Amino acid sequence: RFAEYCGAALDVRRESAEFDDNSDISDYAKGAVGDLYVSEIINGSDNNRFEPKQSMTRYWNAITASRSQTQRSAAEILL
């Protein structure tokens, strides 16, 4: 939602995939989770699960922010 608010487009870098626990992801978040997955900002866990009920640690916040910033920087270079 923040990328959309800022008018930023996320790069599609891979095909979409459904996590094994897709039914646990809230309906309002499914679109954002899918967008972040295809742009390779998030990956889910090793066992093809997103684990939406788990807390997001500072480590994963930093990884997500870094990947988001990397995409933004690459887009700015192309402008």
Side-chain angles (χ1 to χ4, degrees), residues 8-9 11 68-79:
D11 295 338
S68 299
Q69 184 63 37
T70 300
Q71 277 207 8
R72 181 174 175 221
S73 297
E76 289 172 352
I77 291 170
L78 294 175
L79 294 176

Side-chain angles (χ1 to χ4, degrees), residues 12-17 37-38:
V12 174
R13 298 181 177 194
R14 64 178 160 199
E15 296 294 319
S16 64
Y37 179 80
V38 298

Side-chain angles (χ1 to χ4, degrees), residues 37-57:
Y37 179 80
V38 298
S39 65
E40 295 183 349
I41 292 174
I42 62 169
N43 293 312
S45 64
D46 292 337
N47 55 357
N48 194 41
R49 297 178 57 82
F50 181 67
E51 300 179 356
K53 307 280 189 220
Q54 297 296 320
S55 297
M56 188 162 185
T57 64

Side-chain angles (χ1 to χ4, degrees), residues 2-3 6-7 10 14 19-20 25-26 28 39 41-42 46 54-55 63-65 69-70 74:
F2 183 71
C6 294
L10 298 174
R14 64 178 160 199
F19 293 106
D20 290 341
I25 301 171
S26 298
Y28 76 89
S39 65
I41 292 174
I42 62 169
D46 292 337
Q54 297 296 320
S55 297
I63 294 294
T64 302
Q69 184 63 37
T70 300

